[in-house]
Amino acid sequence: MNTASTRMVTRSWSREPGVGPRGSGEEAAPLPRGKSGAEGRKSHHPVKRQRKAQSLKVAYEASDGEKGGGIKVPSWEPQDWQQQLANIRTMRSEKDAPVDQLGAEHCYDPSVPPKVQRYQVLLSLMLSSQTKDQVTAGAMQRLRAQGLTVDNILKTDDSTLGTLIYPVGFWRSKVKYIKQTSAILQQNYGGDIPASVAELVALPGVGPKMAHLAMAVAWGTVSGIAVDTHVHRIANRLGWTKKVTKSPEETRAALEDWLPRDLWSEINGLLVGFGQQICLPVRPRCQTCLNQALCPAAQGL
């Protein structure tokens, strides 16, 4: 994701400090909207607690200005973006898109221990790739009915696991990734999930978008903007990238370069729902869009 801090975003909510940071004797749980994760969390990896943190060459590194506490001033920003954003907020005010009821923050079991909740959040994100929210939610319900824990998944044979998650996209590959990732979590993290983007993207089947959403939903930390196909498509249609971007990661870097950081946590859920209801991939409903006169793509239709 760009030269901005280990960053990401998820659904539109802000958070206050959560409870039970790692090392306190209590575990920090995924928090509902309006709550924030605890600061000062540490990785479960025993080696990393002994070593000084290394400067990894990853896209979510903090910039020098941010490390020094300075405010980054963008060298470019799109024309009319504030009005476009306000219009999208108005169009999304009902919060009635699939993502609003079936997103990752709704797929875990709130009655299980926090560590298990975080694992379920990660699995729901792994299943969601190239899959509609309704299908992901159905697969998660079936998995939870069987007991969705690291131990249970590792005891489940591949055929049964495939039956439980079908028909999510690329379900055969996801069976393999879920098993591999679960084994790593059991061995290296005590059954919990990592608390950094760099460690999350190192897990099989976990990409940058999933990692940033996991940080937000499971740990309450905004580490960057989570860009999926909806966000990628809409950002380019609105002219929110200085030049046309070819991939979600390129779009993430372009957005983080100018969008104020306090808006990062809002963008994913806002644009995903907008893309599900109005700014569709094919035959977008421009006639009903409040941004019709402000959208470069609409002018070309």
Side-chain angles (χ1 to χ4, degrees):
M1 317 169 128
N2 103 353
T3 58
S5 71
T6 297
R7 38 203 201 206
M8 128 160 217
V9 81
T10 150
R11 318 298 180 208
S12 53
W13 63 85
S14 60
R15 293 178 166 88
E16 303 167 351
V19 296
R22 293 190 179 189
S24 68
E26 293 185 60
E27 296 167 305
L31 302 173
R33 300 191 177 205
K35 297 291 181 181
S36 152
E39 298 178 355
R41 289 182 303 276
K42 298 180 181 179
S43 168
H44 279 121
H45 198 293
V47 177
K48 293 193 174 213
R49 284 200 286 265
Q50 302 298 325
R51 295 180 180 176
K52 181 179 178 181
Q54 298 179 350
S55 179
L56 300 175
K57 292 184 179 180
V58 291
Y60 0 92
E61 192 87 36
S63 66
D64 291 338
E66 288 174 326
K67 289 176 181 176
I71 298 175
K72 181 179 178 181
V73 178
S75 59
W76 173 89
E77 63 181 31
Q79 183 179 6
D80 300 322
W81 73 269
Q82 291 176 311
Q83 185 59 54
Q84 290 170 330
L85 179 61
N87 288 341
I88 294 172
R89 285 172 174 157
T90 298
M91 291 183 282
R92 290 278 288 115
S93 61
E94 296 297 322
K95 302 289 185 189
D96 54 359
V99 69
D100 298 312
Q101 286 83 39
L102 304 172
E105 69 271 26
H106 301 292
C107 286
Y108 67 86
D109 182 354
S111 69
V112 299
K115 181 168 68 173
V116 178
Q117 293 179 28
R118 290 190 286 270
Y119 174 67
Q120 293 182 0
V121 167
L122 181 61
L123 254 63
S124 73
L125 291 168
M126 293 175 70
L127 293 173
S128 70
S129 176
Q130 301 296 308
T131 304
K132 291 185 177 181
D133 288 333
Q134 297 91 327
V135 176
T136 299
M140 285 297 295
Q141 288 178 350
R142 292 188 294 274
L143 287 170
R144 285 169 50 186
Q146 298 292 316
L148 185 50
T149 65
V150 169
D151 289 342
N152 284 347
I153 288 296
L154 291 175
K155 292 174 184 176
T156 303
D157 63 82
D158 290 2
S159 177
T160 300
L161 182 56
T163 300
L164 290 171
I165 69 172
Y166 181 84
V168 299
F170 303 100
W171 63 272
R172 291 184 179 86
S173 295
K174 289 176 183 178
V175 166
K176 177 180 67 175
Y177 293 146
I178 288 171
K179 283 294 193 71
Q180 291 174 343
T181 288
S182 297
I184 293 170
L185 297 181
Q186 185 185 64
Q187 181 177 355
N188 297 341
Y189 298 93
D192 208 336
I193 71 172
S196 75
V197 173
E199 290 175 287
L200 284 164
V201 297
L203 297 171
V206 178
K209 180 206 76 172
M210 302 176 206
H212 284 306
L213 284 172
M215 289 296 296
V217 178
W219 291 116
T221 297
V222 177
S223 57
I225 300 175
V227 177
D228 65 355
T229 56
H230 291 292
V231 179
H232 172 62
R233 176 181 73 255
I234 294 167
N236 277 276
R237 285 179 175 175
L238 290 174
W240 282 12
T241 58
K242 192 172 184 179
K243 61 179 182 179
V244 175
T245 54
K246 302 293 181 63
S247 68
E249 266 299 89
E250 192 178 346
T251 300
R252 184 197 61 77
L255 289 173
E256 290 181 359
D257 195 48
W258 67 266
L259 189 69
R261 192 181 179 94
D262 61 353
L263 298 178
W264 289 8
S265 64
E266 178 182 14
I267 291 301
N268 178 269
L270 193 68
L271 295 190
V272 169
F274 180 56
Q276 290 175 335
Q277 294 182 311
I278 297 176
C279 197
L280 306 175
V282 180
R283 292 189 290 276
R285 297 165 181 164
C286 298
Q287 297 299 322
T288 64
C289 181
L290 298 179
N291 282 326
Q292 184 178 14
L294 301 174
C295 177
Q299 303 311 305
L301 294 178

